[in-house]
Amino acid sequence: NDCSRKGFIDGRSARLPTIVPRPGAPNKAATGAFSSIIREPLHGRDFCCPISTDRPHPISGYRTLVEELIALHELPAQAILDSCVHNGEAIAPQGDR
């Protein structure tokens, strides 16, 4: 970030949300639970959420993520102000909603 801020390089970074639903079997990662909340009921399987349902968590789909990364890449350097960090587009639902 310092090299970008000082103008030595055109660096950009992106804070990515959790992508849901991810394919494959459920895993033990906390972020995997967010995919399971969607994926398991679609497959007719019960799901017990291992994380607190009162905490919002940013999620997005892979198409949105790809579009945003392309847009960030194509954004002119002059359009980036003080920070080269981009927060990916996401919604932040809570587990009980």
Side-chain angles (χ1 to χ4, degrees):
N1 195 9
D2 271 353
C3 289
S4 293
R5 188 175 47 79
K6 293 178 181 178
F8 298 134
I9 62 169
D10 179 13
R12 298 144 193 237
S13 64
R15 292 185 183 118
L16 306 178
T18 298
I19 304 304
V20 297
R22 293 189 297 229
N27 60 34
K28 300 289 184 188
T31 56
F34 291 96
S35 286
S36 294
I37 289 170
I38 296 170
R39 181 183 53 238
E40 298 309 300
L42 289 174
H43 287 63
R45 296 187 287 249
D46 290 335
F47 174 72
C48 180
C49 187
I51 54 176
S52 173
T53 59
D54 63 349
R55 182 172 203 167
H57 184 82
I59 61 172
S60 186
Y62 72 91
R63 288 184 181 109
T64 301
L65 175 66
V66 169
E67 290 170 3
E68 289 212 7
L69 291 175
I70 291 169
L72 181 61
H73 175 266
E74 294 175 351
L75 189 67
Q78 299 81 11
I80 299 174
L81 301 175
D82 295 334
S83 177
C84 61
V85 178
H86 172 75
N87 289 317
E89 182 178 334
I91 60 171
Q94 291 179 278
D96 60 349
R97 296 182 189 165

